Amino acid sequence: MILPLPADVPVTIDRDAAQRAAEAELSGPEYHVNDPGLVERVLRWLAERLSDLFEAASTAVPGGPLGLLVLLAVLVLVAVVVRLRVGKVARNVRAPGLVFEDRSRTAADHRQAADQAAAAGDFGVAVRERFRALVRGLEERGVLEALSGRTADEAARDAGRWLPGVRDELAVAARLFDDVHYGERPASAEDHARLAALDEQVRRERPGVPA
């Protein structure tokens, strides 16, 4: 039988045992209800690292934080200028693209758009729409299969197999379309007139035996 200790007898616990008891007590879930989640802890850590990086950089740059901000602004400006220059060069040298961006329009729609653009003096749009009218007309007649991914060169090559009498002019028209639409070459009234004449000639041509 174990007898209870008198109430006035002190109970002593060594330091290590007290620490273990405190850790065991504080590990209970009721003490961690308001602790930040994993995502919040990661974000805090990243914020601290960025703050340390910014502080280190500001001490290395003349002028401190203000000098660092000026340097960052200059770098952003340089990046924008380079992006604009590279983008312009890329647009000028990009490969010829597709003939159609919207296949819902008919050949008559494209011809009307070309005539309206030419009347307004916008010969770039007139050349683009007239070439599309030519190709769309060939599709409507069944000379060309209606393909959404066809380029101007492919359209001229495929049409030239069936219309050998205008094969060379079709190739010239395809290059003109690419130069104006994708190469940003200025178009003239003569360019549109040449395409309009070819469009009329193609409409009169009868498909022959494919070459």
Side-chain angles (χ1 to χ4, degrees), residues 173-195:
R175 287 194 296 272
L176 177 60
F177 174 85
D178 285 336
D179 290 344
V180 171
H181 186 42
Y182 293 99
E184 299 182 356
R185 171 197 149 181
S188 65
E190 290 74 16
D191 292 329
H192 176 251
R194 184 174 185 177
L195 279 186

Side-chain angles (χ1 to χ4, degrees), residues 1-189:
M1 180 175 178
I2 300 176
L3 298 176
L5 294 175
D8 57 348
V9 177
V11 178
T12 59
I13 302 178
D14 59 35
R15 180 176 179 178
D16 293 338
Q19 183 176 355
R20 287 194 297 272
E23 290 176 351
E25 175 64 22
L26 294 176
S27 65
E30 63 274 12
Y31 293 100
H32 300 276
V33 174
N34 297 321
D35 286 359
L38 176 61
V39 175
E40 185 177 352
R41 293 199 300 272
V42 171
L43 293 177
R44 286 183 179 179
W45 183 86
L46 289 175
E48 292 174 357
R49 300 291 77 76
L50 288 175
S51 178
D52 294 341
L53 179 62
F54 183 82
E55 183 177 355
S58 64
T59 57
V61 176
L66 180 59
L68 179 61
L69 290 177
V70 173
L71 177 61
L72 290 176
V74 172
L75 291 177
V76 170
L77 180 61
V78 170
V80 171
V81 171
V82 171
R83 177 67 181 86
L84 291 175
R85 294 295 301 172
V86 171
K88 184 175 181 180
V89 172
R91 287 193 298 271
N92 289 335
V93 300
R94 60 184 170 183
L98 306 182
V99 175
F100 296 105
E101 298 170 357
D102 177 12
R103 295 197 56 85
S104 64
R105 305 176 70 184
T106 66
D109 293 333
H110 288 296
R111 290 188 183 100
Q112 181 180 7
D115 290 338
Q116 291 175 347
D122 192 345
F123 297 108
V125 173
V127 164
R128 178 170 63 244
E129 292 300 320
R130 182 63 66 172
F131 184 81
R132 287 173 173 168
L134 187 156
V135 175
R136 191 73 180 96
L138 290 172
E139 292 179 347
E140 291 173 352
R141 292 169 55 193
V143 178
L144 291 178
E145 182 182 358
L147 298 177
S148 60
R150 180 182 281 124
T151 65
D153 286 337
E154 291 170 344
R157 180 197 63 201
D158 295 343
R161 295 177 63 244
W162 294 95
L163 305 172
V166 291
R167 182 188 300 122
D168 293 340
E169 276 296 306
L170 287 171
V172 173
R175 287 194 296 272
L176 177 60
F177 174 85
D178 285 336
D179 290 344
V180 171
H181 186 42
Y182 293 99
E184 299 182 356
R185 171 197 149 181
S188 65

